Amino acid sequence: MNLGLIGFGEVGKSFVKLLKIREELLDGIKLNYIIKSNGGIYNPEGLDIKSIINHIDKNIKLEEHPNWKNINIDNIIENKDIDCLIELTSTNIKDGEPGYTHIKKALTNKIHVVTGNKGPIIHYYKELKSIADNNNRSLKVGCTTGGALPSVDVGNSCFKGSKIIEIQGVLNGTSNYIIEEMTNSKITYIEALEKAQSLKIAEANPYLDVSGYDTAAKMLIISKVVMDLDIKDIYVEGIENIGLYEIENAEKDNKKIKLIGKISSDNKNFIIEVKPQLIDKYHPLYSIDGKNKGVYYKTDILGDLTIIGGASSPLNAASSILRDLISIC
Amino acid sequence: MNLGLIGFGEVGKSFVKLLKIREELLDGIKLNYIIKSNGGIYNPEGLDIKSIINHIDKNIKLEEHPNWKNINIDNIIENKDIDCLIELTSTNIKDGEPGYTHIKKALTNKIHVVTGNKGPIIHYYKELKSIADNNNRSLKVGCTTGGALPSVDVGNSCFKGSKIIEIQGVLNGTSNYIIEEMTNSKITYIEALEKAQSLKIAEANPYLDVSGYDTAAKMLIISKVVMDLDIKDIYVEGIENIGLYEIENAEKDNKKIKLIGKISSDNKNFIIEVKPQLIDKYHPLYSIDGKNKGVYYKTDILGDLTIIGGASSPLNAASSILRDLISIC
């Protein structure tokens, strides 16, 4: 199986390293392309992974690699020499581009897709899944809903024969860290955010994480991929207005505040709500802390199931891309 | 797809009810046999599920059903009219019989098997799986390792590309309940056991549950089915000797005692240890209580994952049989 990788941020770089770390598992798998927005490297016989890892480790730009060319997704399509596209360009929550175009072109041309990009999945999952099905190819999106946490895999494989009634998720590591820091160090939201930024846990522009929109995007994807829903009714509230006194009051009562995304039904329609919630120790997501994530599924005949894990790291996220790739193989 | 059911205890009865509850999902599925140790009921056109549920609800013996005959597994094999055997006879931890004979005959004759019976899987998994593979049929054992808790499904589907380094499980609901009762009601082991027996949470002979052997059996099955191991080095200690003072000391330190089964490696070989452990709130299985169960998986590149759920009930256990059946369909 031949691969093409589009997007070469931290997760893309870790994915290339995994191809080396797990080479004994990946016999017969070649990486033919790594493409960035301004060009990429290509070798129809398979790129030399060691030389790329050398570039990454020595912080040498990919542009200086001897195989660097002015290529893009269209060259992949014309050359017809890959079986699976790994799409890891940055999430654009507004219109899903350029990921949407990449994924659509690949699937239309009978190329499997594994992506960690939430944008195209939020906006175009139904269309893209239908193109994949019509072409007998796979579209795997496990990395988009909590990285290594197998939210979608568990949702799709562990509840056969039962009906999922409700899903709750603590899916934003940054928010979780900030709330925990406010609790442990008795500091304000702004102080905790600055600490998270200095540790690179929060981005310079933390808006998507702290506003609740990242959580909403992940819950929306779970609702589409696991429950086959098309929810329009979404309420989103972030953590920016949580005061230290609220954290302290929660702690006094042995409770915690968590940013929780919830898919539930009012008996007619399913809705998504994302907002900070005061929860006690009996809540299934109470024990999640630090950079961990968790999802709680409530079913009709299989009882409840909570999964906790998926600590945020580029290697863990890349491992979830590898997991999806191997399940296609 | 035509089914045969052997074993008609609480889980078997709940399974028959599920065939009615989920009939919209099970179009084309017929139940041709229900077999007990002294005979069974058979209809080559498919049994009338409603009449059987009527027997169950009114507590009428199956022996009084108009289709009752002197039949056993050999009639199923001779008649060649089922595609899948649901094997739910009682677990016999000594030699796995009669489940082993039932499962082996079915698989050898190209009949899929779904079972909730730990005995044959502990003793003969490798042989039975090999017969299944050679005949291109499935042997599904999800119900044997925690009922509705998808220990095996998650283990097999969520860690592709990574290596599982360690697994810990709190898998015996009875022990978990007894320890919790000792903690909450400040009563001795014997008093808590009697309470569990009066509530039918513990059996009249609770030996397998409280001795740790049930947990060991489940961990052994997980090690075989998920990790493809053949562990001989197994240490088992139960909960019978836990004193109330130990429970109280744990509580003073904000800790809990849990009966934990652990699969881990000493860098050469994997071993299984089952024993009561003192754990603090940072332990991933700390929050499991009541009749719930949980499994913690530690991997090399996908981080850690904990699953919690699967509260014990015949309906939940039967739902996990249905889950395995649907994944064969």
Side-chain angles (χ1 to χ4, degrees):
Chain A
M1 178 176 260
N2 296 346
L3 311 179
L5 169 63
I6 300 200
F8 199 57
E10 291 308 312
V11 180
K13 286 171 185 165
S14 290
F15 177 75
V16 173
K17 288 185 175 181
L18 276 182
L19 293 180
K20 177 77 190 137
I21 294 171
R22 280 293 124 90
E23 61 183 343
E24 85 285 359
L25 255 185
L26 303 170
D27 198 32
I29 290 192
K30 290 189 300 181
L31 178 66
N32 288 9
Y33 299 83
I34 300 177
I35 292 184
K36 296 174 61 176
S37 57
N38 57 335
I41 59 176
Y42 170 51
N43 184 341
E45 305 304 319
L47 292 161
D48 175 34
I49 301 293
K50 269 191 197 168
S51 80
I52 301 163
I53 293 174
N54 189 43
H55 270 247
I56 298 169
D57 288 343
K58 294 193 174 147
N59 225 353
I60 305 168
K61 284 188 174 176
L62 202 63
E63 284 79 349
E64 289 168 31
H65 193 282
N67 293 105
W68 181 265
K69 287 187 178 72
N70 179 20
I71 50 172
N72 61 35
I73 180 76
D74 294 322
N75 300 89
I76 292 184
I77 303 300
E78 283 157 24
N79 294 339
K80 295 185 192 298
D81 60 354
I82 68 165
D83 309 287
C84 182
L85 179 72
I86 312 292
E87 215 290 338
L88 294 175
T89 59
S90 302
T91 288
N92 164 355
I93 217 162
K94 267 197 194 145
D95 63 9
E97 289 293 6
Y100 169 60
T101 298
H102 296 159
I103 295 173
K104 187 171 179 178
K105 283 187 178 177
L107 291 172
T108 307
N109 288 280
K110 294 188 181 293
I111 296 168
H112 298 289
V113 173
V114 177
T115 187
N117 187 339
K118 290 184 277 293
I121 306 308
I122 298 166
H123 292 286
Y124 301 106
Y125 179 69
K126 204 169 177 178
E127 180 199 1
L128 294 172
K129 182 68 169 67
S130 149
I131 298 173
D133 290 345
N134 291 338
N135 286 288
N136 202 19
R137 289 301 179 273
S138 293
L139 168 60
K140 302 286 282 180
V141 305
C143 188
T144 62
T145 55
L149 188 76
S151 321
V152 163
D153 282 342
V154 166
N156 280 337
S157 70
C158 296
F159 303 115
K160 291 190 182 93
S162 73
K163 286 175 190 157
I164 297 173
I165 298 165
E166 184 184 307
I167 301 181
Q168 292 189 40
V170 169
L171 286 170
N172 187 267
T174 305
S175 300
N176 216 27
Y177 174 86
I178 290 173
I179 296 173
E180 194 178 57
E181 268 307 298
M182 291 174 72
T183 310
N184 292 345
S185 307
K186 303 284 176 296
I187 53 180
T188 64
Y189 166 74
I190 293 294
E191 289 165 330
L193 171 61
E194 282 167 359
K195 186 166 177 185
Q197 284 172 320
S198 73
L199 293 169
K200 310 238 172 193
I201 291 168
E203 293 180 49
N205 178 355
Y207 179 70
L208 277 183
D209 289 324
V210 300
S211 66
Y213 278 99
D214 175 74
T215 301
K218 288 167 179 164
M219 296 307 293
L220 186 60
I221 292 174
I222 291 175
S223 74
K224 287 174 188 287
V225 179
V226 173
M227 300 177 77
D228 197 24
L229 297 172
D230 187 20
I231 299 176
K232 304 286 183 205
D233 190 353
I234 304 176
Y235 172 82
V236 185
E237 184 187 325
I239 63 165
E240 307 101 316
N241 297 322
I242 299 177
L244 186 50
Y245 68 96
E246 289 172 276
I247 300 271
E248 287 174 332
N249 280 343
E251 215 184 0
K252 266 181 220 153
D253 295 342
N254 273 320
K255 292 182 179 173
K256 285 183 187 173
I257 295 175
K258 296 270 171 210
L259 181 64
I260 292 180
K262 183 172 170 182
I263 304 167
S264 63
S265 158
D266 59 4
N267 285 324
K268 250 175 59 190
N269 296 304
F270 277 91
I271 58 169
I272 295 177
E273 279 178 303
V274 176
K275 60 184 181 193
Q277 307 243 22
L278 188 65
I279 59 175
D280 65 22
K281 66 174 182 174
Y282 299 106
H283 190 284
L285 302 175
Y286 181 81
S287 67
I288 299 168
D289 37 36
K291 293 195 291 174
N292 264 324
K293 305 188 186 82
V295 179
Y296 161 82
Y297 308 82
K298 184 182 176 72
T299 76
D300 62 346
I301 58 171
L302 270 163
D304 300 350
L305 179 69
T306 305
I307 61 172
I308 296 174
S312 316
S313 86
L315 183 71
N316 282 6
S319 301
S320 84
I321 296 289
L322 181 66
R323 169 170 63 199
D324 276 354
L325 174 64
I326 290 176
S327 58
I328 291 176
C329 299
Chain B
M1 178 177 261
N2 296 346
L3 311 179
L5 168 63
I6 299 200
F8 200 58
E10 291 307 313
V11 180
K13 287 171 184 164
S14 290
F15 177 75
V16 172
K17 288 186 177 180
L18 277 182
L19 293 180
K20 176 78 189 137
I21 294 170
R22 279 295 124 86
E23 61 184 342
E24 86 285 359
L25 255 185
L26 302 171
D27 198 32
I29 289 191
K30 289 188 301 183
L31 178 65
N32 289 8
Y33 299 83
I34 299 178
I35 292 185
K36 295 174 63 174
S37 57
N38 57 333
I41 59 176
Y42 171 50
N43 185 341
E45 306 304 319
L47 293 161
D48 175 33
I49 301 293
K50 268 192 196 166
S51 80
I52 302 163
I53 294 175
N54 189 42
H55 271 246
I56 298 170
D57 288 343
K58 293 195 176 147
N59 225 352
I60 306 169
K61 285 188 174 176
L62 203 61
E63 284 79 349
E64 290 169 31
H65 192 282
N67 292 105
W68 181 265
K69 286 188 179 70
N70 179 21
I71 49 172
N72 60 38
I73 179 76
D74 294 321
N75 300 89
I76 292 185
I77 303 299
E78 283 157 25
N79 293 339
K80 294 184 193 302
D81 59 354
I82 69 165
D83 308 287
C84 183
L85 178 72
I86 311 293
E87 215 290 338
L88 293 175
T89 59
S90 302
T91 289
N92 164 356
I93 217 161
K94 268 197 193 145
D95 64 8
E97 290 291 8
Y100 168 61
T101 299
H102 296 158
I103 295 173
K104 188 171 177 177
K105 283 186 178 176
L107 291 172
T108 306
N109 287 280
K110 294 188 181 294
I111 295 168
H112 299 290
V113 173
V114 176
T115 187
N117 187 339
K118 290 184 278 293
I121 306 309
I122 297 165
H123 293 286
Y124 301 107
Y125 179 69
K126 206 170 175 177
E127 180 200 1
L128 295 172
K129 181 70 169 68
S130 150
I131 298 173
D133 290 345
N134 290 338
N135 285 290
N136 202 20
R137 290 299 180 274
S138 293
L139 168 61
K140 302 286 281 180
V141 304
C143 187
T144 63
T145 56
L149 187 76
S151 320
V152 164
D153 281 342
V154 166
N156 280 336
S157 70
C158 295
F159 303 115
K160 291 190 183 94
S162 73
K163 287 174 189 157
I164 296 174
I165 299 165
E166 185 185 306
I167 301 181
Q168 292 188 41
V170 169
L171 286 170
N172 186 267
T174 306
S175 300
N176 215 28
Y177 174 85
I178 289 173
I179 297 173
E180 194 178 60
E181 267 307 298
M182 291 174 73
T183 311
N184 292 345
S185 307
K186 303 285 176 293
I187 54 179
T188 64
Y189 166 75
I190 294 293
E191 290 165 330
L193 171 61
E194 282 166 359
K195 186 164 178 186
Q197 284 171 321
S198 74
L199 292 169
K200 310 238 173 195
I201 291 168
E203 293 180 49
N205 178 356
Y207 179 70
L208 278 183
D209 289 325
V210 299
S211 65
Y213 278 100
D214 175 74
T215 301
K218 287 167 179 164
M219 295 307 291
L220 186 59
I221 293 174
I222 291 175
S223 75
K224 287 174 188 288
V225 179
V226 173
M227 300 177 79
D228 197 23
L229 296 172
D230 187 20
I231 299 176
K232 304 285 182 204
D233 191 353
I234 304 176
Y235 172 83
V236 185
E237 184 187 324
I239 63 165
E240 307 100 315
N241 297 319
I242 300 176
L244 186 51
Y245 68 97
E246 290 172 275
I247 299 271
E248 286 175 330
N249 280 342
E251 215 183 2
K252 266 181 218 153
D253 294 341
N254 273 320
K255 292 181 177 172
K256 285 183 188 173
I257 296 175
K258 295 270 171 209
L259 180 64
I260 293 182
K262 184 172 168 182
I263 303 166
S264 63
S265 158
D266 57 5
N267 284 322
K268 251 175 57 191
N269 296 304
F270 277 92
I271 58 170
I272 295 177
E273 279 178 303
V274 176
K275 61 185 180 192
Q277 307 243 22
L278 188 66
I279 59 175
D280 66 22
K281 66 174 183 174
Y282 300 106
H283 191 285
L285 302 175
Y286 181 83
S287 65
I288 299 168
D289 36 38
K291 293 195 292 173
N292 263 324
K293 305 188 186 82
V295 178
Y296 161 81
Y297 308 82
K298 184 181 175 71
T299 77
D300 62 345
I301 58 172
L302 269 164
D304 301 349
L305 180 69
T306 305
I307 62 172
I308 296 174
S312 316
S313 86
L315 183 71
N316 283 5
S319 301
S320 85
I321 296 289
L322 182 67
R323 169 169 64 199
D324 276 354
L325 173 65
I326 290 175
S327 58
I328 291 176
C329 301

